[in-house]
Amino acid sequence: MSRTELVEFIAAKANLTKADATRALEATLEGIQAGLKKEGKVALVGFGTFSAKKRAAREGINPLTKEAIKIPAKTVASFKAGSKLKDALN
């Protein structure tokens, strides 16, 4: 499902205009990002948990030249599905 399709779904399901649904989706995504930056975790009970994880620096290999390269440490977002989401997919 694309972002546009998701906005259309939200608008139809919540009886909103597409503009209102777009603003609601944007606010939700901004809230998740802010929560990850501030607390490192956003839990939506039943749906799942977003978390920020630190990935250590490591050595990798450039696939074109086969040379060793250093990959810097960084923080990445991860998601673990909740029970209601898992059940909905089965």
Side-chain angles (χ1 to χ4, degrees), residues 2 5 22 24 40 47 75 78 88:
S2 70
E5 293 168 332
T22 300
F47 181 74
T75 303
S78 73

Side-chain angles (χ1 to χ4, degrees), residues 30-42 49-52 75-78:
E30 285 178 25
I32 291 170
Q33 289 175 5
L36 287 176
K37 280 185 176 181
K38 184 177 180 184
E39 299 175 19
K41 189 175 187 180
V42 175
T49 303
F50 296 90
S51 60
T75 303
V76 296
S78 73

Side-chain angles (χ1 to χ4, degrees), residues 70-86:
K70 291 183 181 180
I71 301 170
K74 65 180 178 178
T75 303
V76 296
S78 73
F79 177 77
K80 183 176 181 191
S83 60
K84 287 183 183 177
L85 180 59
K86 287 179 186 177

